[in-house]
């Protein structure tokens, strides 16, 4: 999975255009990236990559950079 794919998944769940999502984007910089969207993002990435994350660690993956580091 590449960064573009990850950004598209985040875009879909936070309902923000992919071209507005940058490497520096986080749960703090995108207002619609709430806890429910975050769970959906992680679950979709897990399903597509077959990489599992402990539920207690979901909060650590709160930025495009961290998601890309883990899932690509």
């Amino acid at each position: 999975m590449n960064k573009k794919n990850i950004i598209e998944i985040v875009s879909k769940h936070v309902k923000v255009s992919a071209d507005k999502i940058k490497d520096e984007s986080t749960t703090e910089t995108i207002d619609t990236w709430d806890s429910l969207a975050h769970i959906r993002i992680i679950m979709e990435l897990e399903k597509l990559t077959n990489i599992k994350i402990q539920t207690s660690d979901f909060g650590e993956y709160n930025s495009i950079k961290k998601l890309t580091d883990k899932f690509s």
Side-chain angles (χ1 to χ4, degrees), residues 13-55:
H13 291 289
V14 300
K15 296 175 178 41
V16 171
S17 175
D19 62 341
K20 294 188 191 279
I21 298 175
K22 309 294 179 212
D23 287 344
E24 307 81 30
S25 296
T26 70
T27 55
E28 297 295 316
T29 62
I30 300 175
D31 292 337
T32 54
W33 192 341
D34 60 14
S35 58
L36 185 56
H38 190 65
I39 290 168
R40 289 178 175 157
I41 291 164
I42 298 289
M43 290 177 66
E44 183 168 347
L45 289 169
E46 283 183 327
K47 183 177 179 182
L48 293 172
T49 62
N50 211 23
I51 296 172
K52 300 296 176 202
I53 296 177
Q54 294 285 43
T55 307

Side-chain angles (χ1 to χ4, degrees), residues 1-12 17-25 33 41 45 48-49 63-72:
M1 172 138 318
N2 62 39
K3 184 183 344 180
K4 183 178 183 224
N5 297 129
I6 291 170
I7 287 173
E8 288 172 358
I9 290 167
V10 171
S11 170
K12 175 176 74 172
S17 175
D19 62 341
K20 294 188 191 279
I21 298 175
K22 309 294 179 212
D23 287 344
E24 307 81 30
S25 296
W33 192 341
I41 291 164
L45 289 169
L48 293 172
T49 62
S63 69
I64 297 300
K65 179 171 179 4
K66 289 179 182 178
L67 289 172
T68 302
D69 288 349
K70 181 67 177 181
F71 291 103
S72 59

